Amino acid sequence: TAHYPLELSSAASDVYKRQSEDVAALDPDNRDWALEVVYAHHNLAVLALEAGDLDVADEGFQGEVRSMRQIINDDPSPANKQDLADAISGLGNIYLERGQLVESLEYYEESVNLLTPVLAEDPGNAVKRRDLAQARQTVFDVELLLGNTDRAAKINASVLDTFSALTTLDPGNLDWRRSLANATLQRAHVLKAMKDNAKAYKEIQEAIRIYDGIDSAQDDVFVRSQSAEAQLLMAQLALRAGEVDVAARAISLARDEIDYVAKGDRLNHWRLSLLVTILTVEGLIQSRSGDAESAQQYWKEAAELLRTKAADSASPYVSNARGFLAEATK
Protein backbone atom coordinates (compact mmCIF):
# COMPACT_ATOMS: atom_id res chain seq x y z
CA THR A 1 0.00 0.00 0.00
CA ALA A 2 3.02 2.32 0.11
CA HIS A 3 3.40 4.97 -2.54
CA TYR A 4 6.70 3.81 -4.02
CA PRO A 5 8.06 3.38 -7.55
CA LEU A 6 8.65 -0.10 -8.92
CA GLU A 7 11.58 -1.99 -7.40
CA LEU A 8 14.86 -1.80 -9.28
CA SER A 9 17.55 -4.46 -9.60
CA SER A 10 19.82 -4.82 -6.59
CA ALA A 11 22.84 -3.17 -8.25
CA ALA A 12 20.76 -0.31 -9.67
CA SER A 13 19.08 0.21 -6.29
CA ASP A 14 22.42 0.47 -4.55
CA VAL A 15 23.61 3.13 -7.01
CA TYR A 16 20.27 4.90 -6.70
CA LYS A 17 20.58 4.95 -2.90
CA ARG A 18 24.10 6.42 -2.89
CA GLN A 19 23.23 9.05 -5.47
CA SER A 20 19.99 10.06 -3.71
CA GLU A 21 21.83 10.38 -0.39
CA ASP A 22 24.48 12.57 -2.01
CA VAL A 23 21.85 14.82 -3.58
CA ALA A 24 19.77 15.04 -0.40
CA ALA A 25 22.87 16.07 1.57
CA LEU A 26 23.16 19.17 -0.62
CA ASP A 27 19.83 20.46 0.69
CA PRO A 28 18.57 18.67 3.83
CA ASP A 29 15.36 20.74 3.78
CA ASN A 30 14.33 19.59 0.30
CA ARG A 31 11.45 17.17 0.95
CA ASP A 32 11.40 15.71 -2.57
CA TRP A 33 15.08 14.80 -2.36
CA ALA A 34 14.53 13.32 1.09
CA LEU A 35 11.77 11.12 -0.35
CA GLU A 36 14.19 9.84 -2.99
CA VAL A 37 16.37 8.53 -0.14
CA VAL A 38 13.29 6.79 1.28
CA TYR A 39 12.52 5.14 -2.07
CA ALA A 40 16.12 3.96 -2.36
CA HIS A 41 16.18 2.37 1.08
CA HIS A 42 12.79 0.78 0.40
CA ASN A 43 13.86 -0.79 -2.89
CA LEU A 44 17.02 -2.28 -1.41
CA ALA A 45 15.16 -3.59 1.63
CA VAL A 46 12.44 -5.28 -0.45
CA LEU A 47 14.97 -6.92 -2.78
CA ALA A 48 17.11 -8.10 0.14
CA LEU A 49 14.10 -9.53 1.97
CA GLU A 50 13.02 -11.44 -1.15
CA ALA A 51 16.58 -12.80 -1.45
CA GLY A 52 16.64 -13.81 2.21
CA ASP A 53 19.40 -11.36 3.14
CA LEU A 54 17.82 -10.23 6.40
CA ASP A 55 20.72 -8.06 7.59
CA VAL A 56 20.70 -5.96 4.43
CA ALA A 57 16.91 -5.77 4.50
CA ASP A 58 17.05 -4.66 8.14
CA GLU A 59 19.51 -1.90 7.29
CA GLY A 60 17.34 -0.75 4.39
CA PHE A 61 14.10 -0.59 6.34
CA GLN A 62 15.84 1.07 9.30
CA GLY A 63 17.16 3.74 6.93
CA GLU A 64 13.71 4.19 5.47
CA VAL A 65 12.19 4.56 8.94
CA ARG A 66 14.77 7.19 9.96
CA SER A 67 14.12 9.19 6.80
CA MET A 68 10.34 8.98 7.14
CA ARG A 69 10.43 10.11 10.78
CA GLN A 70 12.36 13.23 9.74
CA ILE A 71 9.92 13.92 6.91
CA ILE A 72 6.91 13.48 9.19
CA ASN A 73 8.31 16.05 11.61
CA ASP A 74 7.67 18.64 8.87
CA ASP A 75 4.77 16.99 7.07
CA PRO A 76 2.66 14.58 9.19
CA SER A 77 0.35 13.81 6.28
CA PRO A 78 -1.67 10.56 6.20
CA ALA A 79 0.33 9.39 3.16
CA ASN A 80 3.62 9.88 4.98
CA LYS A 81 2.32 8.09 8.07
CA GLN A 82 1.20 5.23 5.85
CA ASP A 83 4.67 4.97 4.33
CA LEU A 84 6.27 4.97 7.78
CA ALA A 85 3.84 2.29 8.95
CA ASP A 86 4.73 0.15 5.92
CA ALA A 87 8.46 0.47 6.63
CA ILE A 88 7.96 -0.45 10.28
CA SER A 89 5.86 -3.43 9.21
CA GLY A 90 8.77 -4.43 6.96
CA LEU A 91 10.95 -4.59 10.07
CA GLY A 92 8.29 -6.78 11.65
CA ASN A 93 8.58 -9.15 8.68
CA ILE A 94 12.35 -9.37 9.15
CA TYR A 95 12.16 -10.18 12.83
CA LEU A 96 9.43 -12.72 12.15
CA GLU A 97 11.74 -14.43 9.67
CA ARG A 98 14.45 -14.43 12.35
CA GLY A 99 12.09 -16.15 14.74
CA GLN A 100 12.17 -13.17 17.12
CA LEU A 101 8.43 -13.04 17.68
CA VAL A 102 8.34 -10.53 20.54
CA GLU A 103 10.37 -7.99 18.55
CA SER A 104 8.28 -8.67 15.45
CA LEU A 105 5.09 -8.08 17.43
CA GLU A 106 6.41 -4.74 18.72
CA TYR A 107 7.00 -3.50 15.17
CA TYR A 108 3.60 -4.69 13.97
CA GLU A 109 1.90 -3.05 16.96
CA GLU A 110 3.68 0.22 16.19
CA SER A 111 2.43 0.05 12.61
CA VAL A 112 -1.14 -0.40 13.88
CA ASN A 113 -0.71 2.49 16.31
CA LEU A 114 0.39 4.76 13.46
CA LEU A 115 -2.55 3.86 11.24
CA THR A 116 -5.26 4.01 13.90
CA PRO A 117 -5.39 7.84 14.13
CA VAL A 118 -5.04 8.09 10.33
CA LEU A 119 -8.34 6.24 9.98
CA ALA A 120 -9.90 8.16 12.89
CA GLU A 121 -9.37 11.38 10.92
CA ASP A 122 -11.13 9.90 7.88
CA PRO A 123 -13.35 7.04 9.11
CA GLY A 124 -15.30 6.70 5.88
CA ASN A 125 -12.19 6.02 3.78
CA ALA A 126 -12.39 2.40 2.62
CA VAL A 127 -8.71 2.15 1.67
CA LYS A 128 -7.63 3.36 5.10
CA ARG A 129 -9.99 0.88 6.74
CA ARG A 130 -8.38 -1.88 4.68
CA ASP A 131 -4.85 -0.72 5.53
CA LEU A 132 -5.54 -0.75 9.27
CA ALA A 133 -7.27 -4.14 9.10
CA GLN A 134 -4.33 -5.63 7.20
CA ALA A 135 -1.92 -4.19 9.76
CA ARG A 136 -3.98 -5.81 12.49
CA GLN A 137 -3.73 -9.13 10.65
CA THR A 138 0.05 -9.09 11.05
CA VAL A 139 -0.45 -8.68 14.81
CA PHE A 140 -2.92 -11.58 14.68
CA ASP A 141 -0.36 -13.82 12.98
CA VAL A 142 2.25 -13.32 15.70
CA GLU A 143 -0.24 -13.57 18.56
CA LEU A 144 -1.41 -16.92 17.19
CA LEU A 145 2.17 -18.12 16.81
CA LEU A 146 2.79 -17.12 20.42
CA GLY A 147 -0.25 -19.10 21.51
CA ASN A 148 -2.25 -16.04 22.57
CA THR A 149 -5.47 -17.37 21.06
CA ASP A 150 -7.85 -15.13 23.02
CA ARG A 151 -6.21 -11.94 21.78
CA ALA A 152 -5.85 -13.39 18.29
CA ALA A 153 -9.58 -14.14 18.28
CA LYS A 154 -10.47 -10.57 19.27
CA ILE A 155 -8.27 -9.10 16.55
CA ASN A 156 -9.71 -11.49 14.00
CA ALA A 157 -13.29 -10.54 14.94
CA SER A 158 -12.50 -6.88 14.26
CA VAL A 159 -10.80 -7.67 10.94
CA LEU A 160 -13.68 -9.89 9.85
CA ASP A 161 -16.15 -7.11 10.62
CA THR A 162 -14.12 -4.68 8.50
CA PHE A 163 -13.82 -6.90 5.45
CA SER A 164 -17.41 -8.11 5.68
CA ALA A 165 -18.55 -4.48 5.63
CA LEU A 166 -16.23 -3.56 2.75
CA THR A 167 -17.35 -6.56 0.70
CA THR A 168 -20.99 -5.65 1.29
CA LEU A 169 -20.18 -2.11 0.20
CA ASP A 170 -18.51 -3.28 -3.04
CA PRO A 171 -19.15 -7.00 -3.79
CA GLY A 172 -17.17 -6.81 -7.03
CA ASN A 173 -13.95 -5.65 -5.38
CA LEU A 174 -11.54 -8.60 -5.58
CA ASP A 175 -9.19 -7.06 -3.02
CA TRP A 176 -11.97 -6.92 -0.43
CA ARG A 177 -13.10 -10.46 -1.21
CA ARG A 178 -9.62 -11.90 -1.01
CA SER A 179 -9.08 -10.11 2.29
CA LEU A 180 -12.40 -11.45 3.61
CA ALA A 181 -11.40 -14.99 2.61
CA ASN A 182 -8.05 -14.57 4.36
CA ALA A 183 -9.72 -13.27 7.53
CA THR A 184 -12.15 -16.21 7.42
CA LEU A 185 -9.19 -18.57 7.05
CA GLN A 186 -7.55 -16.94 10.06
CA ARG A 187 -10.77 -17.48 12.01
CA ALA A 188 -10.56 -21.18 11.16
CA HIS A 189 -6.98 -21.29 12.47
CA VAL A 190 -8.11 -19.75 15.76
CA LEU A 191 -10.91 -22.27 16.14
CA LYS A 192 -8.55 -25.14 15.27
CA ALA A 193 -6.15 -23.90 17.96
CA MET A 194 -9.06 -23.85 20.39
CA LYS A 195 -9.88 -27.43 19.29
CA ASP A 196 -13.34 -26.42 18.10
CA ASN A 197 -13.01 -28.53 14.98
CA ALA A 198 -16.67 -28.40 13.92
CA LYS A 199 -16.76 -24.59 13.77
CA ALA A 200 -13.29 -24.46 12.23
CA TYR A 201 -14.49 -26.80 9.47
CA LYS A 202 -17.43 -24.50 8.66
CA GLU A 203 -15.18 -21.45 8.50
CA ILE A 204 -12.71 -23.17 6.21
CA GLN A 205 -15.54 -24.21 3.89
CA GLU A 206 -16.61 -20.56 3.72
CA ALA A 207 -13.06 -19.38 3.00
CA ILE A 208 -12.71 -21.91 0.20
CA ARG A 209 -16.07 -20.83 -1.24
CA ILE A 210 -14.83 -17.24 -1.42
CA TYR A 211 -11.46 -18.21 -2.93
CA ASP A 212 -13.20 -20.34 -5.55
CA GLY A 213 -15.33 -17.34 -6.52
CA ILE A 214 -12.37 -15.12 -7.32
CA ASP A 215 -12.24 -15.88 -11.03
CA SER A 216 -9.27 -13.65 -11.80
CA ALA A 217 -7.10 -15.49 -9.28
CA GLN A 218 -5.87 -17.98 -11.89
CA ASP A 219 -2.39 -16.43 -11.94
CA ASP A 220 -2.47 -14.73 -8.54
CA VAL A 221 0.33 -16.23 -6.45
CA PHE A 222 -1.05 -14.74 -3.23
CA VAL A 223 -4.57 -16.12 -3.70
CA ARG A 224 -3.24 -19.49 -4.82
CA SER A 225 -1.02 -19.71 -1.73
CA GLN A 226 -3.92 -18.81 0.56
CA SER A 227 -6.18 -21.27 -1.24
CA ALA A 228 -3.54 -23.98 -0.77
CA GLU A 229 -3.43 -23.15 2.94
CA ALA A 230 -7.23 -23.38 3.16
CA GLN A 231 -7.33 -26.79 1.48
CA LEU A 232 -4.45 -27.96 3.68
CA LEU A 233 -6.33 -26.93 6.81
CA MET A 234 -9.42 -28.74 5.57
CA ALA A 235 -7.34 -31.89 5.01
CA GLN A 236 -5.88 -31.68 8.52
CA LEU A 237 -9.32 -31.25 10.08
CA ALA A 238 -10.68 -34.14 8.00
CA LEU A 239 -7.83 -36.37 9.16
CA ARG A 240 -8.61 -35.44 12.77
CA ALA A 241 -12.16 -36.64 12.14
CA GLY A 242 -10.98 -39.84 10.43
CA GLU A 243 -12.36 -38.75 7.04
CA VAL A 244 -9.45 -39.95 4.92
CA ASP A 245 -11.23 -39.61 1.57
CA VAL A 246 -12.17 -35.97 2.29
CA ALA A 247 -8.61 -35.29 3.38
CA ALA A 248 -7.24 -36.86 0.19
CA ARG A 249 -9.40 -34.67 -2.05
CA ALA A 250 -8.50 -31.51 -0.15
CA ILE A 251 -4.78 -32.22 -0.10
CA SER A 252 -4.79 -32.93 -3.83
CA LEU A 253 -6.27 -29.46 -4.44
CA ALA A 254 -3.77 -27.92 -2.03
CA ARG A 255 -0.92 -29.60 -3.88
CA ASP A 256 -2.14 -28.29 -7.24
CA GLU A 257 -2.19 -24.72 -5.92
CA ILE A 258 1.21 -24.80 -4.22
CA ASP A 259 2.85 -26.58 -7.17
CA TYR A 260 1.75 -23.69 -9.37
CA VAL A 261 3.45 -21.28 -6.98
CA ALA A 262 6.60 -23.42 -6.78
CA LYS A 263 6.93 -23.54 -10.58
CA GLY A 264 7.04 -19.75 -10.61
CA ASP A 265 9.94 -19.84 -8.14
CA ARG A 266 7.88 -17.93 -5.57
CA LEU A 267 8.48 -20.16 -2.55
CA ASN A 268 9.35 -17.86 0.32
CA HIS A 269 9.69 -19.56 3.71
CA TRP A 270 5.98 -19.35 4.48
CA ARG A 271 5.01 -20.96 1.17
CA LEU A 272 7.80 -23.51 1.53
CA SER A 273 6.37 -24.45 4.92
CA LEU A 274 2.98 -24.94 3.25
CA LEU A 275 4.52 -27.30 0.69
CA VAL A 276 6.38 -29.26 3.37
CA THR A 277 3.22 -29.57 5.47
CA ILE A 278 1.17 -30.61 2.43
CA LEU A 279 3.72 -33.34 1.64
CA THR A 280 3.61 -34.46 5.27
CA VAL A 281 -0.19 -34.73 5.19
CA GLU A 282 0.00 -36.61 1.88
CA GLY A 283 2.27 -39.08 3.64
CA LEU A 284 -0.13 -39.42 6.55
CA ILE A 285 -3.00 -40.12 4.15
CA GLN A 286 -0.98 -42.81 2.38
CA SER A 287 0.04 -44.32 5.70
CA ARG A 288 -3.56 -44.50 6.92
CA SER A 289 -4.53 -46.05 3.59
CA GLY A 290 -1.96 -48.81 4.13
CA ASP A 291 0.66 -47.65 1.63
CA ALA A 292 3.72 -47.25 3.87
CA GLU A 293 6.15 -47.04 0.93
CA SER A 294 4.37 -44.06 -0.67
CA ALA A 295 4.12 -42.37 2.73
CA GLN A 296 7.89 -42.62 3.17
CA GLN A 297 8.43 -41.09 -0.27
CA TYR A 298 6.33 -38.03 0.59
CA TRP A 299 8.10 -37.60 3.92
CA LYS A 300 11.51 -37.99 2.29
CA GLU A 301 10.63 -35.27 -0.23
CA ALA A 302 9.49 -32.96 2.59
CA ALA A 303 12.69 -33.56 4.56
CA GLU A 304 14.82 -32.88 1.48
CA LEU A 305 13.08 -29.56 0.89
CA LEU A 306 13.79 -28.50 4.46
CA ARG A 307 17.41 -29.59 4.14
CA THR A 308 18.12 -27.85 0.84
CA LYS A 309 15.97 -24.73 1.07
CA ALA A 310 15.51 -23.92 4.75
CA ALA A 311 18.28 -25.57 6.75
CA ASP A 312 19.32 -22.29 8.37
CA SER A 313 15.88 -20.70 8.56
CA ALA A 314 14.59 -19.50 11.93
CA SER A 315 11.14 -18.76 10.48
CA PRO A 316 8.46 -19.97 12.89
CA TYR A 317 6.48 -21.30 9.92
CA VAL A 318 9.42 -23.45 8.86
CA SER A 319 9.96 -24.55 12.46
CA ASN A 320 6.30 -25.58 12.73
CA ALA A 321 6.49 -27.51 9.45
CA ARG A 322 9.67 -29.23 10.62
CA GLY A 323 8.04 -30.17 13.92
CA PHE A 324 4.92 -31.46 12.19
CA LEU A 325 7.04 -33.66 9.91
CA ALA A 326 9.01 -34.99 12.87
CA GLU A 327 5.80 -35.84 14.73
CA ALA A 328 4.29 -37.56 11.69
CA THR A 329 7.35 -39.76 11.12
CA LYS A 330 7.96 -40.87 14.70
Side-chain angles (χ1 to χ4, degrees):
T1 56
H3 316 288
Y4 298 124
L6 293 175
E7 281 75 20
L8 308 172
S9 70
S10 181
S13 288
D14 189 46
V15 171
Y16 174 35
K17 180 176 80 73
R18 285 186 278 108
Q19 290 178 340
S20 62
E21 287 175 339
D22 289 343
V23 171
L26 297 174
D27 184 1
D29 295 325
N30 189 308
R31 195 172 302 154
D32 289 338
W33 292 356
L35 280 170
E36 290 300 321
V37 176
V38 172
Y39 300 152
H41 281 295
H42 174 81
N43 286 325
L44 276 175
V46 168
L47 288 166
L49 187 57
E50 282 289 322
D53 193 338
L54 301 184
D55 289 341
V56 171
D58 195 350
E59 181 182 351
F61 281 124
Q62 292 285 6
E64 183 182 359
V65 167
R66 285 194 300 272
S67 297
M68 283 309 308
R69 290 196 195 281
Q70 292 174 353
I71 290 169
I72 284 174
N73 283 337
D74 296 324
D75 180 15
S77 68
N80 285 340
K81 289 179 180 178
Q82 174 69 64
D83 288 349
L84 175 58
D86 285 345
I88 290 171
S89 185
L91 289 171
N93 295 342
I94 291 168
Y95 281 83
L96 182 62
E97 274 289 295
R98 288 172 171 164
Q100 296 175 244
L101 298 184
V102 173
E103 292 83 352
S104 175
L105 183 60
E106 289 173 354
Y107 283 119
Y108 288 149
E109 292 273 23
E110 185 177 356
S111 181
V112 168
N113 291 339
L114 273 165
L115 294 176
T116 300
V118 170
L119 177 60
E121 293 170 5
D122 189 9
N125 189 305
V127 172
K128 292 176 183 177
R129 290 171 70 188
R130 176 206 63 191
D131 292 342
L132 180 55
Q134 289 180 341
R136 285 174 173 157
Q137 284 181 301
T138 62
V139 175
F140 166 92
D141 289 335
V142 181
E143 292 287 18
L144 195 62
L145 287 167
L146 289 169
N148 301 329
T149 51
D150 287 344
R151 180 151 194 254
K154 289 178 182 177
I155 294 168
N156 175 253
S158 171
V159 170
L160 264 174
D161 284 346
T162 295
F163 287 122
S164 294
L166 289 174
T167 303
T168 300
L169 185 68
D170 184 2
N173 189 309
L174 294 179
D175 184 23
W176 300 164
R177 286 163 61 193
R178 189 187 81 171
S179 296
L180 177 61
N182 190 31
T184 305
L185 175 58
Q186 288 180 322
R187 173 66 176 159
H189 277 294
V190 169
L191 291 166
K192 179 174 178 278
M194 293 177 171
K195 303 192 184 304
D196 192 340
N197 295 342
K199 288 184 179 178
Y201 198 84
K202 288 181 180 179
E203 293 293 336
I204 206 63
Q205 286 179 311
E206 175 62 12
I208 289 171
R209 184 191 68 78
I210 300 171
Y211 287 130
D212 288 347
I214 303 177
D215 296 332
S216 67
Q218 189 66 25
D219 298 314
D220 189 323
V221 167
F222 301 100
V223 171
R224 280 183 171 263
S225 300
Q226 290 168 348
S227 181
E229 183 182 16
Q231 294 289 355
L232 168 60
L233 186 55
M234 173 170 276
Q236 290 175 306
L237 290 171
L239 272 183
R240 276 189 182 182
E243 299 172 350
V244 178
D245 289 344
V246 174
R249 286 194 296 273
I251 210 64
S252 176
L253 292 169
R255 184 68 187 271
D256 288 345
E257 298 284 30
I258 205 65
D259 280 350
Y260 177 91
V261 176
K263 287 175 185 175
D265 197 26
R266 299 294 300 276
L267 284 180
N268 58 20
H269 282 150
W270 171 65
R271 294 177 195 132
L272 176 67
S273 73
L274 285 180
L275 176 54
V276 168
T277 307
I278 287 166
L279 289 166
T280 303
V281 171
E282 286 184 304
L284 286 170
I285 291 168
Q286 293 301 318
S287 179
R288 294 192 186 184
S289 300
D291 191 344
E293 184 177 347
S294 293
Q296 290 297 329
Q297 285 300 115
Y298 282 119
W299 293 335
K300 182 179 178 181
E301 185 180 350
E304 185 66 9
L305 280 169
L306 288 170
R307 186 186 70 80
T308 58
K309 295 185 177 295
D312 299 324
S313 172
S315 163
Y317 298 111
V318 171
S319 297
N320 287 346
R322 187 179 287 116
F324 183 61
L325 175 62
E327 182 68 23
T329 55
K330 280 199 307 188

